[in-house]
Amino acid sequence: MTEMPQTRGTLTPDRPLAELTWMRVGGPAEWFFQPADTADLAAFLAALDPALPVFPMGVGSNLIVRDGGIRGVVVRLGRGFNGIAIEGERVVAGAAALDAHVARKAAEAGRDLTFLRTIPGTLGGAVRMNAGCYGSYMADVFESARAVTRAGEIVTLRPEDLAFAYRHSALAPDTVITEITLRAPGGDPWALGAKMTDQLAKRDESQPTKDRTAGSTFRNPAGFSSTGRADDTHELKAWSLIDAAGMRGARRGGAMMNPKHPNFLTNAGGATAAELEGLGEEVRKKVYDSSGLTLEWEIMRVGEPAPD
Ligand SMILES: Cc1cc2nc3c(=O)[nH]c(=O)nc-3n(C[C@H](O)[C@H](O)[C@H](O)COP(=O)(O)OP(=O)(O)OC[C@H]3O[C@@H](n4cnc5c(N)ncnc54)[C@H](O)[C@@H]3O)c2cc1C
């Protein structure tokens, strides 16, 4: 077995991951690493066998971990990485801070990060995915991030390093973000609180927020024009294509396209990752057959399939 570097944090072999994801599926991490602090993470990665892959994980709200688990080292930031400080118009937070906590704390201090209130991930995951809703995205407020590269270097990332696009950043998949600085517009704390309450209610009305999902399964196909005119370009919704393909409520084992919102792939009870991914692929095929459009996954599928 590969010799692993010393750490002041916690390193666990064969750690089950399913319980750490929203979907509650998937196999174990070969190694599960919770660093004590940024220096510990940097020293560990610098000394780690370069042949071992590294995967940073947040709270698994955008992931299907496959049934065979993840090879190499899964890094999950915990205590020590979830502080939130308000410094004038800047909000500085650890990458493990939950989006909802960041939004609430910012609002109390009169800074508007309300769009983060209903996104169930961590701030690190929000940067990686350029998370957003209600017309605002991480890219709109991101100033810089501190991160540790796979080689163990501590670096500062600026917007130009991340080339944000719709649900995408150019962050290297094995670079671990540890701290983020956001620049938030001002607002009245009471009004910001009311806005968040309203957004939560809207979300509960239209989406299965209490079910085991990973949010939107497929991206909305962008820039579609029904007339061919540039001024008519509008976004086609993935859910309506899935509906039109007759896949609302479709099932495979414990996997289901949610009847409340058909772009939410759901673990309806006892699903495997293979069933969830298989149903997703079936939906892509059915949508292609009925509309000629190819849906792209928004949920990340990571790790290895179960051995036969
Ligand atoms: C009910 C529900 C509603 C949702 N609504 C929205 C929405 O409105 N808008 C939206 O954008 N998303 C939404 N999502 C998806 C999801 O919450 C976001 O993509 C979120 O940003 C993922 O964060 P996470 O911490 O869970 O990351 P994970 O799912 O754990 O990981 C996602 C990606 O981020 C990377 N990552 C995580 N932490 C770090 C880190 N510290 N450093 C480097 N990389 C890291 C991982 O490697 C992986 O590539 C929703 C999900 C659910 C379940």
Side-chain angles (χ1 to χ4, degrees), residues 8-30:
R8 289 179 283 110
T10 317
L11 182 65
T12 315
D14 255 340
R15 164 72 161 90
L17 292 176
E19 69 202 52
L20 301 179
T21 70
W22 270 63
M23 281 288 202
R24 297 287 196 278
V25 296
E30 186 179 4

Side-chain angles (χ1 to χ4, degrees), residues 9-275:
T10 317
L11 182 65
T12 315
D14 255 340
R15 164 72 161 90
L17 292 176
E19 69 202 52
L20 301 179
T21 70
W22 270 63
M23 281 288 202
R24 297 287 196 278
V25 296
E30 186 179 4
W31 292 98
F32 186 76
F33 178 41
Q34 294 185 282
D37 51 37
T38 302
D40 184 40
L41 173 62
F44 179 91
L45 292 180
L48 183 69
D49 179 350
L52 276 187
V54 166
F55 179 74
M57 177 176 178
V59 289
S61 63
N62 198 52
L63 295 181
I64 292 177
V65 174
R66 296 196 176 102
D67 300 307
I70 300 182
R71 218 172 62 72
V73 180
V74 170
V75 178
R76 193 166 192 260
L77 306 179
R79 250 182 301 144
F81 293 93
N82 56 10
I84 303 169
I86 316 291
E87 300 171 2
E89 61 176 2
R90 291 191 170 78
V91 177
V92 182
L98 291 174
D99 298 338
H101 290 174
V102 176
R104 277 210 305 261
K105 251 199 133 162
E108 280 161 25
R111 308 311 315 179
D112 186 350
L113 291 175
T114 47
F115 77 97
L116 288 172
R117 177 62 186 89
T118 59
I119 303 177
T122 63
L123 212 53
V127 172
R128 170 74 167 92
M129 301 302 302
N130 188 20
C133 61
Y134 302 119
S136 298
Y137 296 88
M138 186 42 84
D140 303 332
V141 292
F142 179 88
E143 186 169 272
S144 65
R146 193 149 75 128
V148 183
T149 67
R150 173 63 184 84
E153 261 182 300
I154 300 176
V155 295
T156 299
L157 301 171
R158 305 272 171 204
E160 57 272 24
D161 301 314
L162 294 177
F164 287 116
Y166 175 61
R167 297 286 194 271
H168 172 84
S169 76
L171 182 72
D174 50 11
T175 288
V176 185
I177 295 178
T178 54
E179 188 183 83
I180 296 117
T181 302
L182 305 175
R183 228 182 164 134
D188 168 61
W190 187 88
L192 296 175
K195 189 168 161 190
M196 291 190 292
T197 305
D198 189 45
Q199 287 172 348
L200 279 169
K202 259 201 220 143
R203 186 65 88 133
D204 284 340
E205 210 177 288
S206 60
Q207 295 182 3
T209 50
K210 308 285 185 284
D211 292 350
R212 291 180 174 174
T213 75
S216 296
T217 306
F218 302 107
R219 295 157 198 271
N220 291 324
F224 173 83
S225 165
S226 51
T227 62
R229 289 197 333 261
D231 63 356
D232 173 56
T233 303
H234 60 270
E235 209 182 46
L236 247 192
K237 298 291 184 192
W239 72 261
S240 66
L241 294 170
I242 297 169
D243 229 1
M247 294 302 278
R248 185 190 285 257
R251 294 190 77 127
R252 177 181 290 214
M256 176 179 71
M257 298 315 291
N258 207 290
K260 185 167 182 179
H261 191 309
N263 195 25
F264 277 59
L265 180 58
T266 304
N267 178 357
T272 61
E275 286 168 352

